[in-house]
Amino acid sequence: MSDFKARLKANTDDIAETLTSLLPRAEVDGVRCAEARLLDAMHYAVEGGKRLRAFLAVETAQIFGTDRGHALRVGAAIECIHAYSLVHDDLPAMDDDDLRRGRPTTHKAFDEATAILAADALQAMAFTILASDATHENPFIRCELVACLARAAGARGMVGGQMIDIEAERASEPLSLAETSRLQRMKTGALIEVSCTMGAILGQTSATNRRAVEYYARDLGLAFQICDDLLDATGDEASLGKAVAKDAAAGKATFVDLLGIDGAKDRAALLTEQAKAHLAPLGGRAETLRTLADHALTRQN
Ligand code: GRG
């Protein structure tokens, strides 16, 4: 196994373990608590996935010599926000999807009310994790982590992007390339970018280094989204573990519609090269992030 694959696997395993240990348990000493169904749904919603955002946070933190336990907690907090967003995105009021990560979506496995509540609780959990002194002994660092994640997840970030996306489906005119890029930068890009930001905050690094990883993540996030559109247009449900060709059917403006298949591939490749170029100030220390960018470009799920 290559060093990169080994790091990816170690991160996936460690994040799963960290999440299991941090989320409240449904059963203590053989007794299930009254809210057990909610807790089961929370655990279900965070299972699986590529853990891209956690990997970005952990690997960025590692560049700056941060304690791995702290970084894993930050990665787990980001994955809680990501999982909550997917649960809400899959609801009948949004994308109405039955399949996610190769198995029934949370509202299908449980029910709508439980899924909504589990996602709400995961969002709160993310900030509970960051606010704990186990995440960092310095309260100023904890505050910065909380503020950055809240900003990225909120109205001017992920949730705002989702709103624009929903409105765009109802609009008579499709979004332009510039409008689609802004929407995606908010909807998926903000959380990807803040994953690197949070690694840099933990590492207490210079403004130059922080900018390097943030610019990297910005380009990577857009490349990732373009690849997602390509997979939606050309991939199959079995290998993706979710429904395909839904975006076009819903009338969403995708990069494939705007640029064509070849144009979208070229744009993703350019953004990937650009992302790696931003890492120049970090030299060899950022090799894993460079490999990750190449990996994201050729991913099949
Ligand atoms: C509903 C508040 C709210 C927000 C939803 C991120 C998002 C906003 C919706 C996700 C919709 C979607 C499928 C977007 C395409 C890109 C993307 C974020 C894919 C899912 O992320 P992956 O591929 O998922 O990292 P895994 O399962 O690997 O974690």
Side-chain angles (χ1 to χ4, degrees):
M1 196 190 285
S2 67
D3 181 49
F4 176 76
K5 289 223 165 105
R7 293 182 86 94
L8 207 54
K9 169 141 182 26
N11 179 73
T12 309
D13 294 348
D14 291 349
I15 285 292
E17 199 181 307
T18 307
L19 281 165
T20 305
S21 73
L22 289 173
L23 295 189
R25 284 162 199 233
E27 194 175 303
V28 178
D29 297 332
V31 180
R32 275 173 69 77
C33 59
E35 65 278 25
R37 185 173 174 78
L38 171 76
L39 309 182
D40 287 342
M42 289 169 74
H43 282 271
Y44 182 87
V46 299
E47 278 164 20
K50 295 181 290 298
R51 310 296 194 198
L52 164 75
R53 295 149 191 83
F55 190 60
L56 282 170
V58 170
E59 286 297 329
T60 302
Q62 143 91 32
I63 293 175
F64 307 117
T66 302
D67 175 86
R68 184 168 170 83
H70 290 171
L72 285 170
R73 289 178 64 95
V74 166
I78 299 168
E79 289 293 328
C80 285
I81 294 286
H82 174 54
Y84 122 69
S85 80
L86 297 181
V87 172
H88 277 192
D89 190 62
D90 290 334
L91 287 169
M94 301 221 188
D95 270 4
D96 194 10
D97 273 311
D98 295 351
L99 197 64
R100 165 75 62 189
R101 295 176 169 170
R103 57 189 199 157
T105 45
T106 306
H107 68 276
K108 285 283 166 190
F110 293 81
D111 56 77
E112 266 184 62
T114 306
I116 292 168
L117 292 175
D120 290 344
L122 281 171
Q123 177 166 204
M125 191 69 217
F127 296 106
T128 306
I129 295 169
L130 295 182
S132 160
D133 58 8
T135 297
H136 203 282
E137 55 283 2
N138 183 336
F140 292 101
I141 289 188
R142 299 203 297 273
C143 277
E144 203 181 351
L145 292 171
V146 166
C148 284
L149 185 58
R151 207 175 304 126
R156 298 282 193 199
M158 182 181 75
V159 174
Q162 179 77 351
M163 185 77 249
I164 301 172
D165 204 12
I166 289 171
E167 296 251 84
E169 274 181 58
R170 301 181 191 137
S172 51
E173 288 291 307
L175 295 186
S176 67
L177 182 58
E179 288 166 334
T180 304
S181 301
R182 177 172 183 265
L183 142 64
Q184 298 300 353
R185 235 185 97 181
M186 292 167 74
K187 187 176 119 172
T188 50
L191 207 55
I192 289 177
E193 186 176 333
V194 83
S195 303
C196 284
T197 302
M198 291 167 86
I201 292 170
L202 272 184
Q204 300 177 71
T205 188
S206 66
T208 304
N209 286 347
R210 177 161 159 176
R211 261 197 306 275
V213 292
E214 286 178 340
Y215 289 167
Y216 157 83
R218 200 170 290 181
D219 286 336
L220 176 76
L222 209 48
F224 182 84
Q225 181 60 50
I226 295 174
C227 292
D228 208 75
D229 287 354
L230 280 162
L231 289 171
D232 187 64
T234 61
D236 62 277
E237 186 170 299
S239 42
L240 287 176
K242 61 179 182 181
V244 292
K246 284 205 69 175
D247 293 349
K252 287 189 184 178
T254 72
F255 286 107
V256 172
D257 289 334
L258 289 158
L259 301 168
I261 299 264
D262 289 341
K265 281 185 183 164
D266 289 349
R267 185 67 62 105
L270 176 76
L271 284 162
T272 304
E273 286 310 308
Q274 213 169 273
K276 291 190 287 182
H278 287 305
L279 298 174
L282 299 168
R285 290 184 294 165
E287 207 42 43
T288 303
L289 293 186
R290 287 188 195 91
T291 311
L292 175 65
D294 289 329
H295 196 77
L297 184 69
T298 53
R299 72 191 173 96
Q300 296 305 317
N301 64 28

